[in-house]
Amino acid sequence: MSVSPLVWTVTIVVILALLAFDYLFHIRKAHVPTLREAALWSSVYVGAAVLFGVVVLALGGTEMGGQYFAGFITEKALSVDNLFVFLVILASFRVPREDQQKVLLFGIVFALIARTVFIFLGVALINSFAWIFYVFGAILLITAGHLLTPESHAEDEADNVIVRLARKFLRTSQQYDGDKLFTIENGKRVLTPMLLVMVAIGGTDVLFALDSIPAIFGLTQNAYIVFTATAFSLMGLRQLFFLLDGLLDRLIYLSYGLAAILAFIGAKLVLHALHENTLPFINGGQHVEVFEVTTGLSLVVIVGVLAVTVVASLVSPAGKAQTAINNARRHAESYLDLGYTADPHERERIYRNLTDELAAIETMDKKYRDKAKDVEAIRAKVREAQARHTEYLRTAG
């Protein structure tokens, strides 16, 4: 089914309007979103994505609708995995809690731009070279293998080469000035760390696009479906970050689930490449009779793998222990960092969460509790946070 220029125009205008609404009504005034606010707007954006899919299903048929939902679910799962990296970047640059929303919205907009460029580049390559499916398949299989080594996943994203060059050649302050990109320091105009954060986010967005676009092209070659599924998967990602805050570490098997999905799509692309084969050194340049994976089967595999991954992560005792310990470390560090937030209610919320996590840790099986990485360093930070809070209460009293 071809899509008219009018439909393309209306779709792009609606997406831009949603981004403008997000900025004007939620982000322009810096604040820490409540759990209720994050849950409400996450539901609104997911609901809009599902409603759009129903329209595609009604107007484009089951094949086109199935491709959209398979692409949306896959891209959404990859976006959740990307939140781990955003969390590392925000923590590494010590972004104040109130200003994290603006950084995340920038990341979403830049990701949409980067992925749109890759989408149209991918369409051009597919239309010109049938063998590009071999390349896309290889990219996904390599990415799947990388996800099986989660220890190396996202460790250096906050200090990529672009950020190092910016630090070296540009005058940068060490302190934030609200959400400003520039400030005055010693009478001179300098960059703030906020700009470096956005550079780091933008650099990782480009890397994410290299993985996600081949993945969705493995499910559909319809440029409109690829674009809309990608765009709707990114919408609401900011709210999802705050909604899942503290729970991201709980999804301990997510990388394995995504690896299985990307390997499956990679294999599907290789099979499709064999079916469309024109390379002279494979079967004499003739197509190869192979099993072609249907859209319905793809959707079943993707949903099934994600369901097993999420359920296994949530019921795992090791996952519960890791979540509580990592959250205790994060909240202790946030409480000790006086630049983390200027909102006393937010700081009180952090300490209350820390207290709840410590109580939960004490009830855990010792074998899970002691498996945490750097557990002694974490305990030291927790004790320091408790001492700081005791001193705060004494002074306030």
Side-chain angles (χ1 to χ4, degrees):
M1 175 183 172
S2 60
V3 178
S4 68
L6 176 62
V7 173
W8 268 102
T9 302
V10 171
T11 302
I12 292 171
V13 168
V14 168
I15 290 171
L16 291 177
L18 287 172
L19 290 171
F21 173 82
D22 214 15
Y23 175 78
L24 292 173
F25 291 94
H26 295 113
I27 296 176
R28 187 169 58 172
K29 182 180 179 181
H31 71 286
V32 180
T34 63
L35 187 63
R36 181 178 180 276
E37 178 187 341
L40 174 63
W41 287 104
S42 291
S43 301
V44 167
Y45 282 113
V46 171
V50 172
L51 181 61
F52 180 82
V54 171
V55 173
V56 173
L57 199 64
L59 299 180
T62 55
E63 181 68 15
M64 195 171 180
Q67 290 175 355
Y68 167 80
F69 279 111
F72 170 74
I73 293 169
T74 300
E75 292 295 307
K76 197 69 173 179
L78 288 169
S79 296
V80 171
D81 188 52
N82 296 349
L83 290 181
F84 285 95
V85 181
F86 289 165
L87 187 64
V88 171
I89 292 174
L90 294 174
S92 298
F93 282 95
R94 299 172 61 240
V95 179
R97 182 74 164 174
E98 296 90 333
D99 300 320
Q100 290 180 3
Q101 291 198 89
K102 187 166 289 187
V103 175
L104 290 168
L105 182 62
F106 168 82
I108 291 169
V109 172
F110 194 89
L112 188 56
I113 294 171
R115 295 183 192 197
T116 300
V117 171
F118 278 104
I119 286 168
F120 288 104
L121 179 61
V123 169
L125 289 172
I126 287 170
N127 290 336
S128 302
F129 310 104
W131 52 261
I132 200 65
F133 287 111
Y134 287 115
V135 177
F136 285 175
I139 289 173
L140 294 184
L141 291 172
I142 292 170
T143 303
H146 178 65
L147 286 174
L148 293 176
T149 57
E151 289 299 321
S152 64
H153 187 49
E155 285 184 353
D156 300 321
E157 301 295 350
D159 193 29
N160 59 45
V161 64
I162 300 175
V163 174
R164 291 197 295 272
L165 288 173
R167 286 187 190 276
K168 183 175 181 180
F169 293 106
L170 301 176
R171 189 186 299 274
T172 308
S173 72
Q174 297 298 314
Q175 302 298 323
Y176 288 92
D177 185 5
D179 58 5
K180 296 177 182 177
L181 301 181
F182 297 89
T183 190
I184 303 298
E185 191 175 82
N186 298 325
K188 296 182 179 180
R189 185 179 174 86
V190 297
L191 302 175
T192 70
M194 183 64 71
L195 186 59
L196 293 180
V197 177
M198 292 184 174
V199 169
I201 291 283
T204 56
D205 278 335
V206 173
L207 296 178
F208 292 155
L210 291 173
D211 296 337
S212 67
I213 296 307
I216 195 169
F217 270 121
L219 300 168
T220 177
Q221 285 84 59
N222 185 311
Y224 183 75
I225 295 299
V226 172
F227 174 75
T228 52
T230 300
F232 276 109
S233 73
L234 292 171
M235 304 302 288
L237 194 60
R238 173 184 64 80
Q239 293 87 346
L240 192 62
F241 178 87
F242 290 97
L243 183 61
L244 294 180
D245 184 27
L247 294 177
L248 285 173
D249 290 320
R250 185 72 171 270
L251 302 176
I252 60 174
Y253 300 124
L254 179 62
S255 291
Y256 299 103
L258 289 175
I261 290 172
L262 293 182
F264 169 78
I265 298 175
K268 179 184 177 183
L269 278 169
V270 172
L271 290 173
H272 183 72
L274 289 170
H275 184 75
E276 302 288 331
N277 180 59
T278 57
L279 295 178
F281 53 85
I282 298 178
N283 199 35
Q286 301 298 312
H287 77 277
V288 181
E289 292 294 337
V290 293
F291 173 75
E292 287 261 47
V293 180
T294 64
T295 299
L297 178 58
S298 298
L299 191 56
V300 169
V301 170
I302 291 166
V303 172
V305 170
L306 283 177
V308 171
T309 298
V310 171
V311 171
S313 295
L314 294 179
V315 301
S316 165
K320 294 178 182 178
Q322 179 175 310
T323 302
I325 292 170
N326 285 344
N327 285 342
R329 172 189 52 75
R330 187 155 53 239
H331 284 128
E333 289 175 346
S334 298
Y335 190 86
L336 293 169
D337 182 5
L338 296 178
Y340 179 71
T341 179
D343 185 349
H345 297 293
E346 173 64 11
R347 191 162 292 282
E348 182 61 35
R349 183 192 71 83
I350 292 169
Y351 189 80
R352 189 167 57 249
N353 286 343
L354 176 59
T355 302
D356 293 340
E357 286 147 7
L358 292 176
I361 291 170
E362 290 303 315
T363 64
M364 292 175 186
D365 191 315
K366 191 173 184 296
K367 68 178 180 180
Y368 296 119
R369 189 171 59 205
D370 292 343
K371 278 184 178 179
K373 186 178 180 182
D374 301 326
V375 66
E376 289 304 322
I378 293 172
R379 285 170 175 160
K381 287 179 180 177
V382 168
R383 287 193 295 270
E384 187 179 353
Q386 290 174 319
R388 181 80 62 82
H389 189 68
T390 300
E391 178 64 20
Y392 165 77
L393 293 177
R394 187 184 65 79
T395 305

